[in-house]
Amino acid sequence: MASSEGILTDGQWKKLELATQNADSLSSSPKSHPLFADLNIKSPTGGKGPVAGIPFRHVRRTHSGKHIRVKKDGGGGKGTWGKLLDTDDGDCCIDKNDPNYDSGEEAYDGLVDSPVSDPLDDYKKAVVSIVEEYFSTGDVKVAASDLRELGSSEYHPYFTKRLVSMAMDRHDKEKEMASVLLSALYADVILPDQIRDGFIRLLRTVDDLAVDILDVVNVLALFIARAIVDEILPPVFLARAKKILPDSSKGFQVIVTAEKSYLSAPHHAELVERKWGGSTHTTVEETKKKISEILKEYVENGETQEACRCIRELGVSFFHHEVVKRALVLAMESQTSESLILKLLSEAAEEGLISSSQMVKGFHRVAESLDDLALDIPSAKKLFDSIVPKAISGGWLDDSFKVTTDQDGGKSSEDGGKLSEDEKLRQYKKDTVNIIQEYFLSDDIPELVRSLQDLGKPEYNPVFLKRLITLALDRKNREKEMASVLLSALHMELFSTEDFINGFIMLLESAEDTALDIMDASNELALFLARAVIDDVLAPLNLEEISIKLPPKSTGTETVRSARSLISARHAGERLLRSWGGGTGWIVEDAKDKILKLLEEYETGGVTSEACQCIRDLGMPFFNHEVVKKALVMAMEKQNDRLLNLLEECFGEGLITTNQMTKGFGRVKDSLDDLSLDIPNAKEKFELYVGHAMDNGWILPGFGVSTTQ
């Protein structure tokens, strides 16, 4: 029962009285008295007994955790509450029957006693776990997902620092994995500024890291060089880091090493990427080879789960249609393996390993190549027709596939009757986004061309162009370069000049809206326009045609003006090919040099079959119009019509298509005025060549009429 003299309970008053009566005895035996045993007072030495020379009862602990001395039997001193009431009684509790009881006191007690959690500490612990798991599994998607779920994005600079510092003390495999993960997380999960801040923190702690990692300067320099090559750090990062680091620091040495040892060397990008045992990226051809090996091994051992595991480890979900295609062809080549192949595809679909869209795409690719397959497998069509119903009845092939293959364009025309124009356009946009994203991952131009042909919507070509460049604008320079190369490949192969003009008009009309999401959109669009002119996708006069159709004084008009300035600048061709940092632009430039050399060698007595093989080895079928153009110009200059024999052989073998041949002739026609300055009879010779091409069916009908006008 509570006493009326205060808020203390009867029990507390008795203990207070007992403490007063036995004050002297406390001086001589602080640990033996039962009151102190009840109060559970701890030694200031962490429970190991009192420190020599310090009476135990004169030690108090402040709220900050520091030990202080108090006056003997006195009122305490600085930071204390005095003697009598300073009884931290562990057994004392608030009496809920006390009329002055306040429930808030219990809650406060709990808050005082419980440790305060630091969000950064929690984040650090979680990050170590995520990184360790990633090094064990190598699963980039899981690591990215875990980091997103962790939240606390303001701490992501620490993640960058921790990931690299943990990898620095491990094998080359983990170093490569760390670089790949940073590149995967860039922009999507971790902001560019957070990547930069993480590396700045690393540079500031190099002296500490050197204690545990002997070659820390060289290793961190390579990480920074790799980040610049992977375009997750800008090159200007090096200059900015130098300004904030002391010249004598190891961090400064790291920057100098990155500049001089790695980024200044010839072919530095390739060297840096392979420094830790090679890039984790594989080419399309390597992936196809691995798929064939997996399927052959599966047919031999019949282990479905193992085959699924191997397919999953390839990490190319966007390319699973190739698995489907090769599996079906294998089933047709060896009918004894058909049941195993169908079991594998069924299992892969059931597990969600191969999506329904990838499955349908794989079947479509086989259906399109049945005529060629029939040359090697006479019963290919019959076998394929027997497999399709089994796949549909098994539930792992969409039943709409039968509708689409009954007759060419059957399903498309059927859908066209049901869908409105807006719905068809919406569906087209959705389909093209998937196609473009797959292209950015695979860099497979022929596959993209096939996908566009499958859609069968040439009237929407300008929409595709707008979608392609809009998606590339919000990505790295690699994707921008890939988009420019793709435009060159699509020119005359699928798209007309009018398609490109209309596509760029649509882009420039929405330039102001695009700039709201992409800060430098206007300059980037100007580069795309200028690059299209350099790559002969557009003629300089087409820029005027585009500008006329745009509102005056608009962002689009300014962009066209900027593109003209870029084209008229000195060494414009070289600079614009480097506009996205080099890469495939220089591959095209190298291809031009190789084409010129092989034609010169052929013209001086080379073998036709060898020349054809060299053209084939270039691996750039979308660029064969350059072979046609250079061959025709060289034939005029050298007065050697033997070069036409090479074009005839290339056309006969299917090495150079009609579209590529037409485009090559068209490019020569456009430059006849300039050629006539050096070759007086250029127009007469060209008319002869056009007549020969028309007679042999090399170029599209009607070309001769347009050239003589």
Side-chain angles (χ1 to χ4, degrees):
M1 184 173 177
S3 169
S4 60
E5 297 181 49
I7 64 171
L8 297 178
T9 64
D10 290 339
Q12 289 171 330
W13 275 110
K14 287 178 182 179
K15 287 190 176 184
L16 181 58
E17 187 177 345
L18 184 60
T20 306
Q21 290 172 356
N22 295 284
D24 291 336
S25 62
L26 292 177
S27 307
S28 59
S29 182
K31 294 181 71 177
S32 61
H33 198 280
L35 174 62
F36 278 82
D38 288 344
L39 294 177
N40 193 27
I41 295 179
K42 295 181 180 179
S43 163
T45 58
K48 297 179 181 179
V51 180
I54 303 178
F56 190 89
R57 69 188 181 91
H58 299 311
V59 178
R60 293 287 184 267
R61 185 180 294 271
T62 67
H63 291 293
S64 64
K66 296 181 179 179
H67 304 299
I68 60 173
R69 295 284 304 278
V70 298
K71 296 177 182 178
K72 181 178 180 181
D73 297 332
K78 186 178 180 181
T80 70
W81 286 95
K83 175 189 173 189
L84 294 179
L85 294 180
D86 194 18
T87 57
D88 188 14
D89 191 344
D91 288 342
C92 291
C93 60
I94 297 174
D95 187 357
K96 293 184 180 180
N97 296 319
D98 189 333
N100 294 311
Y101 166 73
D102 182 2
S103 61
E105 293 180 34
E106 281 191 326
Y108 179 74
D109 252 352
L111 287 172
V112 171
D113 292 339
S114 62
V116 178
S117 175
D118 185 351
L120 180 57
D121 287 341
D122 295 341
Y123 180 87
K124 288 180 177 180
K125 291 175 185 175
V127 159
V128 171
S129 176
I130 291 171
V131 174
E132 290 285 4
E133 183 179 347
Y134 170 65
F135 284 158
S136 298
T137 65
D139 196 326
V140 173
K141 291 181 180 177
V142 170
S145 175
D146 289 346
L147 194 58
R148 281 195 193 94
E149 290 175 4
L150 182 59
S152 303
S153 59
E154 67 273 17
Y155 299 138
H156 283 347
Y158 174 80
F159 177 86
T160 303
K161 177 188 173 186
R162 190 62 173 161
L163 172 65
V164 174
S165 60
M166 287 176 70
M168 286 169 69
D169 200 24
R170 301 200 180 203
H171 298 296
D172 286 352
K173 176 191 172 188
E174 284 79 9
K175 295 183 179 77
E176 177 67 25
M177 290 173 70
S179 289
V180 170
L181 181 59
L182 281 180
S183 185
L185 298 176
Y186 175 81
D188 291 333
V189 180
I190 303 180
L191 297 175
D193 287 348
Q194 293 175 325
I195 298 274
R196 181 202 64 201
D197 292 346
F199 275 102
I200 290 293
R201 294 184 184 193
L202 278 165
L203 289 167
R204 285 173 170 159
T205 58
V206 175
D207 294 288
D208 296 332
L209 291 170
V211 176
D212 300 315
I213 306 168
L214 295 177
D215 59 342
V216 63
V217 171
N218 189 56
V219 175
L220 184 54
L222 187 49
F223 264 110
I224 289 174
R226 176 63 180 270
I228 290 173
V229 167
D230 288 344
E231 298 176 4
I232 61 174
L233 279 180
V236 75
F237 171 85
L238 300 175
R240 290 174 179 170
K242 277 185 177 180
K243 291 179 181 179
I244 62 175
L245 295 169
D247 292 356
S248 58
S249 67
K250 287 187 180 295
F252 192 88
Q253 292 177 32
V254 170
I255 297 299
V256 172
T257 303
E259 279 182 324
K260 295 185 177 179
S261 299
Y262 295 117
L263 297 174
S264 299
H267 310 293
H268 66 269
E270 183 178 348
L271 292 173
V272 168
E273 277 193 340
R274 297 188 178 277
K275 195 69 177 177
W276 287 318
S279 172
T280 57
H281 302 294
T282 57
T283 65
V284 173
E285 287 305 317
E286 288 171 346
T287 303
K288 289 179 178 179
K289 185 178 178 182
K290 288 179 180 178
I291 290 171
S292 293
E293 290 171 354
I294 291 169
L295 292 172
K296 286 177 182 177
E297 186 175 340
Y298 167 68
V299 169
E300 290 174 3
N301 58 38
E303 295 180 7
T304 309
Q305 291 300 321
E306 177 65 15
C308 286
R309 184 187 66 79
C310 292
I311 294 170
R312 188 177 292 106
E313 285 181 353
L314 288 175
V316 288
S317 56
F318 57 86
F319 202 53
H320 282 167
H321 55 81
E322 183 71 19
V323 177
V324 178
K325 178 192 173 186
R326 288 180 180 267
L328 293 173
V329 172
L330 185 58
M332 289 188 282
E333 287 176 340
S334 174
Q335 294 179 42
T336 55
S337 64
E338 181 181 310
S339 59
L340 276 174
I341 293 295
L342 297 186
K343 180 183 176 184
L344 174 62
L345 294 178
S346 175
E347 188 73 21
E350 188 176 336
E351 287 185 13
L353 177 59
I354 299 180
S355 66
S356 60
S357 61
Q358 290 287 311
M359 190 70 76
V360 169
K361 188 171 184 179
F363 270 82
H364 269 303
R365 291 184 61 195
V366 175
E368 290 165 0
S369 60
L370 281 174
D371 291 334
D372 294 331
L373 286 170
L375 299 176
D376 299 315
I377 311 170
S379 58
K381 293 182 180 180
K382 182 180 178 182
L383 291 170
F384 183 71
D385 288 341
S386 68
I387 291 173
V388 171
K390 295 175 186 176
I392 293 174
S393 62
W396 46 275
L397 177 64
D398 194 85
D399 56 7
S400 64
F401 178 81
K402 192 69 172 71
V403 177
T404 62
T405 54
D406 281 341
Q407 39 181 294
D408 293 338
K411 185 174 184 294
S412 298
S413 60
E414 182 179 309
D415 288 346
K418 296 177 182 178
L419 296 176
S420 67
E421 193 63 31
D422 288 343
E423 288 172 330
K424 285 196 288 184
L425 179 57
R426 196 178 302 115
Q427 183 61 42
Y428 178 85
K429 289 179 178 179
K430 183 180 177 182
D431 293 338
T432 52
V433 167
N434 293 331
I435 292 171
I436 293 166
Q437 288 176 339
E438 182 175 324
Y439 166 65
F440 284 155
L441 289 168
S442 68
D443 197 13
D444 191 341
I445 291 178
E447 179 58 32
L448 180 139
V449 171
R450 280 194 294 269
S451 298
L452 283 180
Q453 289 172 334
D454 289 345
L455 289 179
K457 295 283 192 299
E459 67 273 18
Y460 292 148
N461 284 348
V463 176
F464 176 85
L465 184 145
K466 179 186 175 184
R467 206 68 173 161
L468 170 68
I469 295 179
T470 302
L471 287 172
L473 283 172
D474 202 23
R475 295 189 175 227
K476 298 179 186 177
N477 284 347
R478 173 181 175 271
E479 284 80 6
K480 295 185 181 78
E481 177 66 26
M482 289 174 70
S484 284
V485 171
L486 180 59
L487 293 183
S488 182
L490 293 174
H491 184 221
M492 287 297 291
E493 192 72 34
L494 284 179
F495 288 25
S496 66
T497 302
E498 198 66 27
D499 289 333
F500 285 105
I501 292 172
N502 291 334
F504 274 108
I505 289 172
M506 292 171 66
L507 261 173
L508 295 169
E509 284 176 340
S510 60
E512 292 178 2
D513 294 333
T514 306
L516 297 176
D517 299 318
I518 303 165
M519 291 179 59
D520 205 27
S522 181
N523 290 333
E524 298 281 9
L525 284 172
L527 282 171
F528 269 112
L529 261 176
R531 177 66 181 271
V533 173
I534 293 297
D535 288 342
D536 293 324
V537 172
L538 292 174
L541 287 175
N542 294 145
L543 296 184
E544 184 64 29
E545 187 177 344
I546 292 171
S547 182
I548 291 172
K549 295 183 180 180
L550 296 171
K553 297 183 180 180
S554 65
T555 302
T557 306
E558 290 297 321
T559 302
V560 175
R561 189 176 294 115
S562 297
R564 285 202 194 97
S565 299
L566 290 170
I567 295 165
S568 61
R570 208 175 161 194
H571 306 300
E574 182 180 341
R575 289 182 178 180
L576 288 168
L577 282 172
R578 285 186 178 274
S579 56
W580 315 126
T584 47
W586 282 108
I587 292 175
V588 171
E589 198 64 20
D590 289 342
K592 289 181 179 180
D593 292 338
K594 290 177 180 177
I595 290 168
L596 183 60
K597 288 176 182 176
L598 76 87
L599 289 175
E600 287 174 345
E601 185 176 338
Y602 177 77
E603 191 269 334
T604 55
V607 180
T608 305
S609 59
E610 289 182 2
C612 289
Q613 186 58 46
C614 289
I615 295 169
R616 192 177 290 107
D617 289 344
L618 287 174
M620 301 176 74
F622 60 87
F623 200 56
N624 282 343
H625 56 80
E626 182 73 15
V627 177
V628 179
K629 176 192 172 186
K630 287 189 181 299
L632 293 174
V633 172
M634 190 176 291
M636 295 178 197
E637 289 175 337
K638 307 282 187 180
Q639 301 294 316
N640 186 352
D641 293 345
R642 181 172 182 265
L643 286 157
L644 296 184
N645 296 337
L646 175 61
L647 295 182
E648 185 173 1
E649 184 67 23
C650 289
F651 182 78
E653 289 185 13
L655 184 57
I656 299 181
T657 64
T658 303
N659 283 334
Q660 288 289 311
M661 196 72 81
T662 305
K663 182 178 179 181
F665 271 83
R667 290 178 63 195
V668 175
K669 183 196 74 171
D670 293 340
S671 60
L672 275 177
D673 290 336
D674 294 332
L675 286 171
S676 297
L677 300 176
D678 299 316
I679 310 170
N681 64 338
K683 292 184 179 180
E684 290 79 3
K685 294 290 291 184
F686 183 68
E687 287 182 6
L688 288 174
Y689 296 158
V690 170
H692 182 75
M694 293 288 290
D695 292 341
N696 289 277
W698 295 357
I699 55 180
L700 294 172
F703 183 88
V705 176
S706 62
T707 57
T708 54
Q709 288 176 347

